[in-house]
Amino acid sequence: MNQKEGSALRIKPWPKKVDHYRVDFLSLSIGVMAAIGIPSQACATTEDKPFRILCFVFNDYETLDLHGPIEMLGHMKNVEITLVGNEKIVRSYQGTRIVTDTSTDYLTPCELFIVVGGIGTRSLVDNALRMEWIKNQVDVSDKVFSVCTGSALLAKAGVLDDINATTNKMAYKWVISLSDKVKWYPRAGWVDDGKFLTSSGVSAGTDAALYFVSQLHGMKEAKRIERLTEYNWNSDANNDPYAVEK
Amino acid sequence: MNQKEGSALRIKPWPKKVDHYRVDFLSLSIGVMAAIGIPSQACATTEDKPFRILCFVFNDYETLDLHGPIEMLGHMKNVEITLVGNEKIVRSYQGTRIVTDTSTDYLTPCELFIVVGGIGTRSLVDNALRMEWIKNQVDVSDKVFSVCTGSALLAKAGVLDDINATTNKMAYKWVISLSDKVKWYPRAGWVDDGKFLTSSGVSAGTDAALYFVSQLHGMKEAKRIERLTEYNWNSDANNDPYAVEK
């Protein structure tokens, strides 16, 4: 059943992932590798409430907008990453297909709501139903993190009014044309303003994700994940080689 | 039907993607954005033979190993990216699920065969059927590109014998323990030796993918994609901050 215009959105609890176990990536040595496949008590997810990350995906989303942050945030301890979309299977701009875990027919309370960008945003901003869903989903999310032109969706949905924010610099003119109520930053890898963390284009989302880890768990944890992924983290939000002139 | 041990693998042609159109990401201006959704003649894939990229995925593959290269290679002109796996739906270590386009029950001739890494490689190296498939799939691929511990799979399958290669530096000891016939490099972002391009851990795959673009289409095209994705490319294969001591 698809959401009808004007009808109220129901809240649905976090989807259970029964087939998933997690082991600690870095702590593996040759010794314990032999035991892989049998999750040990020490390695399995603790029974503490997980940190729930909900990512909104749509056809023609930009691959790295989504998977860069998922790579970094997914290495935090006790985290669950869930995809939400209007269809069961969603296709990236690069042509791969991903399976959503829950639907935009519902609202899903979470700690972090990620809104990615990509060419698909160009038509989505004109989808009133989806804009209404975003507005309502933001209400049940503790923090909202946009990557690239994901901020176009947030701006059009009206949730960035009076917020300091940034966006993809290659699509800057288009995004800022959607709302003059947002305080747009032409030079910033990312901008963190209260409930909203908005990042620049594609790769900047990966950098902003590590920033988010540092805010949540400290710099040591962000550096651990940077090393684990052999990443070259641009940790300075003011270092934006793709800044546009005002 | 699953492949039986000892049975010959059939060659299957490249899967047709009928639902996919591509538009040029960077050339979009506000003017043409209005027309999005209707692929123009000028923007659609040309009828030239596409450059076929086949990516092998398996449960507990590492997210960025796959999606970093896909991001960069997917912005080349006239490219088709296809996923191959043993199951219809494959789960990343970070918990997202992806749909495969073709199966390891077949061999799929391609221009580039990508083998990613991740925790899932630890058990895969002991799967004789899959090792046999990799060996045969390498035979029908023009070039082979491994990311992270993807080189563990190639080494165990025996295709890297006498080849200069590198791998994830966080898992270096384990990978080199799988084969003493490979000429392993403890310090390298990536190593390009004939048919095989092998890269270091996770993020290095994204850098090596841009290197591959530069080899295929020139440095200008690699720089175009770097800028398009607002990436901070480490373009020097010798610059490996995660190198291990011999």
Side-chain angles (χ1 to χ4, degrees):
Chain A
M1 196 187 72
N2 285 320
Q3 183 202 346
K4 301 285 188 305
E5 201 147 5
S7 68
L9 285 159
R10 278 200 303 133
I11 286 183
K12 208 177 178 185
W14 195 253
K16 272 222 162 113
K17 301 209 178 186
V18 289
D19 65 339
H20 194 224
Y21 67 89
R22 295 178 62 80
V23 288
D24 194 317
F25 194 90
L26 238 197
S27 70
L28 286 170
S29 65
I30 296 179
V32 299
M33 278 162 199
I36 208 79
I38 307 158
S40 79
Q41 205 59 27
C43 290
T45 302
T46 69
E47 289 188 359
D48 294 343
K49 195 169 167 288
F51 187 85
R52 299 167 302 177
I53 301 177
L54 185 77
C55 309
F56 174 44
V57 288
F58 42 85
N59 284 332
D60 281 329
Y61 77 87
E62 183 70 13
T63 294
L64 198 62
D65 284 17
L66 176 68
H67 296 284
I70 282 179
E71 172 69 32
M72 300 306 168
L73 300 170
H75 277 296
M76 296 193 301
K77 310 290 184 192
N78 199 21
V79 67
E80 274 195 18
I81 296 170
T82 287
L83 304 183
V84 59
N86 189 44
E87 292 168 273
K88 193 65 200 163
I89 291 177
V90 164
R91 177 180 39 73
S92 75
Y93 173 74
Q94 281 73 17
T96 54
R97 292 173 295 159
I98 200 158
V99 185
T100 57
D101 304 295
T102 185
S103 160
T104 52
D105 287 348
Y106 306 97
L107 300 176
T108 309
C110 62
E111 278 70 48
L112 183 65
F113 175 40
I114 298 183
V115 181
V116 302
I119 281 294
T121 60
R122 311 303 168 110
S123 49
L124 257 187
V125 291
D126 295 325
N127 184 324
L129 265 184
R130 217 65 69 236
M131 290 301 106
E132 187 195 335
W133 175 80
I134 286 176
K135 197 168 186 289
N136 286 296
Q137 178 59 45
V138 164
D139 282 344
V140 298
S141 307
D142 288 352
K143 181 101 184 176
V144 180
F145 170 22
S146 72
V147 182
C148 190
T149 48
S151 54
L153 303 177
L154 296 178
K156 192 70 190 289
V159 297
L160 287 185
D161 290 4
D162 301 319
I163 299 287
N164 295 298
T166 197
T167 186
N168 185 313
K169 300 310 182 321
M170 304 296 131
Y172 191 74
K173 278 186 185 173
W174 174 64
V175 177
I176 67 168
S177 76
L178 294 170
S179 171
D180 57 6
K181 292 178 183 159
V182 183
K183 296 173 185 162
W184 293 112
Y185 276 51
R187 176 182 296 275
W190 61 88
V191 176
D192 191 9
D193 185 2
K195 185 167 181 168
F196 296 91
L197 170 62
T198 55
S199 68
S200 188
V202 195
S203 310
T206 312
D207 294 322
L210 279 177
Y211 159 80
F212 183 78
V213 172
S214 77
Q215 293 296 300
L216 195 66
H217 292 301
M219 189 54 96
K220 198 178 161 191
E221 175 68 350
K223 286 281 182 188
R224 179 187 74 84
I225 296 175
E226 180 192 19
R227 180 176 161 75
L228 175 63
T229 57
E230 299 188 17
Y231 188 59
N232 178 21
W233 179 25
N234 175 6
S235 60
D236 178 6
N238 296 315
N239 177 9
D240 179 9
Y242 300 101
V244 292
E245 297 302 318
K246 254 195 168 162
Chain B
M1 197 187 72
N2 285 320
Q3 183 202 348
K4 301 285 188 305
E5 200 146 6
S7 67
L9 284 159
R10 279 199 301 133
I11 285 184
K12 209 178 178 184
W14 195 253
K16 273 225 163 109
K17 301 209 176 185
V18 288
D19 64 338
H20 194 224
Y21 66 90
R22 297 177 61 81
V23 288
D24 194 316
F25 194 89
L26 237 197
S27 70
L28 286 169
S29 65
I30 295 178
V32 300
M33 278 161 200
I36 208 78
I38 307 158
S40 81
Q41 205 60 27
C43 291
T45 301
T46 69
E47 288 186 1
D48 294 342
K49 197 169 165 286
F51 187 85
R52 300 167 301 177
I53 301 177
L54 185 78
C55 310
F56 175 44
V57 289
F58 42 83
N59 284 333
D60 282 329
Y61 78 87
E62 183 71 13
T63 293
L64 198 62
D65 285 17
L66 176 69
H67 296 285
I70 282 180
E71 171 70 31
M72 300 306 168
L73 301 171
H75 277 295
M76 295 193 301
K77 311 289 184 192
N78 199 22
V79 66
E80 274 196 18
I81 297 171
T82 287
L83 305 183
V84 58
N86 189 43
E87 292 169 273
K88 193 65 201 163
I89 291 177
V90 163
R91 177 180 39 70
S92 74
Y93 173 73
Q94 281 72 18
T96 53
R97 292 174 295 158
I98 200 156
V99 185
T100 57
D101 304 296
T102 186
S103 159
T104 52
D105 287 348
Y106 307 97
L107 300 176
T108 309
C110 62
E111 278 69 49
L112 182 65
F113 175 39
I114 299 184
V115 181
V116 302
I119 281 294
T121 61
R122 312 303 168 111
S123 49
L124 257 187
V125 292
D126 295 324
N127 184 325
L129 265 184
R130 217 63 70 236
M131 290 302 105
E132 188 195 335
W133 174 81
I134 286 176
K135 198 167 183 291
N136 287 295
Q137 177 58 44
V138 164
D139 281 344
V140 298
S141 308
D142 288 352
K143 180 100 183 178
V144 180
F145 170 23
S146 72
V147 181
C148 189
T149 48
S151 54
L153 302 177
L154 296 178
K156 191 68 189 289
V159 297
L160 288 184
D161 290 3
D162 300 319
I163 300 288
N164 296 299
T166 196
T167 188
N168 185 314
K169 301 311 182 319
M170 304 295 132
Y172 191 74
K173 279 187 185 172
W174 173 66
V175 177
I176 67 168
S177 77
L178 294 171
S179 171
D180 57 7
K181 292 177 185 159
V182 183
K183 295 172 185 163
W184 292 113
Y185 277 50
R187 177 184 298 273
W190 61 88
V191 176
D192 191 7
D193 185 3
K195 185 168 180 167
F196 296 92
L197 170 63
T198 54
S199 66
S200 187
V202 195
S203 310
T206 311
D207 294 321
L210 279 177
Y211 158 79
F212 182 78
V213 173
S214 78
Q215 294 296 299
L216 196 65
H217 293 300
M219 188 54 98
K220 198 178 161 193
E221 174 68 351
K223 286 282 183 187
R224 179 187 74 83
I225 296 175
E226 180 193 19
R227 179 176 161 76
L228 176 63
T229 57
E230 299 189 17
Y231 189 58
N232 178 22
W233 179 25
N234 175 7
S235 60
D236 179 5
N238 296 314
N239 177 9
D240 180 9
Y242 300 101
V244 292
E245 298 302 320
K246 254 195 169 165

